[in-house]
Amino acid sequence: MAASRRAFVLRHTHLRPVPGLEEVRLHLADEVLHVWSAVQIETDDPDAALPYWAFAWGGGLAIGRYLRENPGAVAGRRVFDVASGSGLCAIAAMHAGAAQATGADIDAFAAAAIELNARANGRRVTVVCRDVLDEEPPDVDVILAGDCWYEACLAGRVLPWLQRARGRGIDVLVGDPGRRYLPTEELVELASYDVRTTTELEDLERKQGWVYAVRSAGGSASSQGRK
Ligand SMILES: C[S@@+](CC[C@H](N)C(=O)[O-])C[C@H]1O[C@@H](n2cnc3c(N)ncnc32)[C@H](O)[C@@H]1O
């Protein structure tokens, strides 16, 4: 099964440098609807998830840029990339010198993409394919959350989980291009970048992508950020 998903990812994407983050190469698609309908046919599931894994999203691109500028945020540390999609944030963290990185996503095609993309970048990324938001936060130093606030259900679950992690002393970096459900009052802005996405996904080809630290529930975000 995993091998056929890897073959599917390879069949529907091209390996190319990520715009604005050229040191990272990902298997990316050009057309979302074409790949989505192929996923629906492959899985025999008309409700199959959008192929998020076939694109580099604005939030992940902002985190990638931030880690390039601030490698000390992850260097020598254990990193967990939640809602990993293509694995972009985990791979960017490894490029920045992370000791180890894990990419977690609920989509089995994302798991295949993370594996392929890590390999294409000569990086080791552990892949977790399950919903970790019902679990306690992992035993890591840094959690990266790129573009998780695009729908209400995920948005409502991910913030308390990240705050729990923050309460345990784990650094949390959120990347987001201003999505509807982003809880800005719970975040502290660290940086913003002009990121290049695609009109396949967004209204504009260039978006502003912000990177934030997360306040722990009732607490501060002051120990996070640039190292
Ligand atoms: C918009 S994409 C962002 C991908 C990547 N972080 C980036 O910025 O390019 C959101 C990802 O969240 C994943 N996702 C949704 N619910 C999730 C959950 N409960 N746990 C882990 N991943 C989840 C989706 O499958 C999708 O790959």
Side-chain angles (χ1 to χ4, degrees), residues 52 55-57 60 83-85 105-107 131 133 146-147 150 154 157:
Y52 296 100
F55 298 89
W57 292 78
S84 189
D105 203 288
I106 48 172
D107 184 338
D131 189 340
L133 300 180
D147 228 311
Y150 57 94
L154 176 59
R157 295 178 65 221

Side-chain angles (χ1 to χ4, degrees), residues 131-206:
D131 189 340
V132 294
L133 300 180
D134 287 330
E135 304 172 7
E136 287 305 305
D139 180 20
V140 296
D141 304 304
V142 186
I143 295 179
L144 307 174
D147 228 311
C148 297
W149 276 271
Y150 57 94
E151 57 114 357
C153 178
L154 176 59
R157 295 178 65 221
V158 74
L159 179 67
W161 189 79
L162 293 175
Q163 286 177 321
R164 214 156 49 241
R166 191 63 209 110
R168 292 179 182 187
I170 299 171
D171 283 355
V172 176
L173 291 176
V174 163
D176 197 90
R179 302 262 181 242
R180 177 168 179 192
Y181 300 103
L182 188 72
T184 41
E185 65 286 358
E186 306 293 342
L187 307 173
V188 177
E189 185 181 326
L190 298 176
S192 81
Y193 302 94
D194 177 28
V195 294
R196 184 136 50 98
T197 67
T198 161
T199 48
E200 278 295 301
L201 308 173
E202 313 282 2
D203 52 342
L204 298 169
E205 195 143 305
R206 304 197 84 98

Side-chain angles (χ1 to χ4, degrees), residues 95-114:
H95 277 309
Q100 57 188 63
T102 299
D105 203 288
I106 48 172
D107 184 338
F109 288 97
I114 297 166

Side-chain angles (χ1 to χ4, degrees), residues 3-217:
S4 73
R5 286 196 198 95
R6 284 195 298 272
F8 181 92
V9 170
L10 291 173
R11 206 159 55 242
H12 292 282
T13 60
H14 299 287
L15 182 62
R16 63 179 76 136
V18 174
L21 206 62
E22 280 76 10
E23 66 274 29
V24 177
R25 292 175 354 126
L26 296 176
H27 291 88
L28 298 173
D30 292 315
E31 294 176 23
V32 67
L33 292 181
H34 174 78
V35 184
W36 196 9
S37 78
V39 171
Q40 289 164 333
I41 292 165
E42 180 85 0
T43 56
D44 198 19
D45 177 4
D47 299 322
L50 208 72
Y52 296 100
W53 48 266
F55 298 89
W57 292 78
L61 289 167
I63 288 180
R65 296 273 293 280
Y66 182 84
L67 296 182
R68 180 207 272 164
E69 277 181 14
N70 302 279
V74 292
R77 309 179 81 199
R78 300 164 301 161
V79 175
F80 193 90
D81 174 21
V82 68
S84 189
S86 62
L88 169 60
C89 296
I91 293 165
M94 291 305 288
H95 277 309
Q100 57 188 63
T102 299
D105 203 288
I106 48 172
D107 184 338
F109 288 97
I114 297 166
E115 203 179 315
L116 287 166
N117 287 329
R119 200 181 302 163
N121 286 273
R123 303 291 176 181
R124 187 183 295 257
V125 172
T126 303
V127 181
V128 167
C129 189
R130 62 172 189 272
D131 189 340
V132 294
L133 300 180
D134 287 330
E135 304 172 7
E136 287 305 305
D139 180 20
V140 296
D141 304 304
V142 186
I143 295 179
L144 307 174
D147 228 311
C148 297
W149 276 271
Y150 57 94
E151 57 114 357
C153 178
L154 176 59
R157 295 178 65 221
V158 74
L159 179 67
W161 189 79
L162 293 175
Q163 286 177 321
R164 214 156 49 241
R166 191 63 209 110
R168 292 179 182 187
I170 299 171
D171 283 355
V172 176
L173 291 176
V174 163
D176 197 90
R179 302 262 181 242
R180 177 168 179 192
Y181 300 103
L182 188 72
T184 41
E185 65 286 358
E186 306 293 342
L187 307 173
V188 177
E189 185 181 326
L190 298 176
S192 81
Y193 302 94
D194 177 28
V195 294
R196 184 136 50 98
T197 67
T198 161
T199 48
E200 278 295 301
L201 308 173
E202 313 282 2
D203 52 342
L204 298 169
E205 195 143 305
R206 304 197 84 98
K207 302 279 284 186
Q208 200 67 12
W210 285 268
V211 176
Y212 303 90
V214 172
R215 300 179 199 279
S216 49

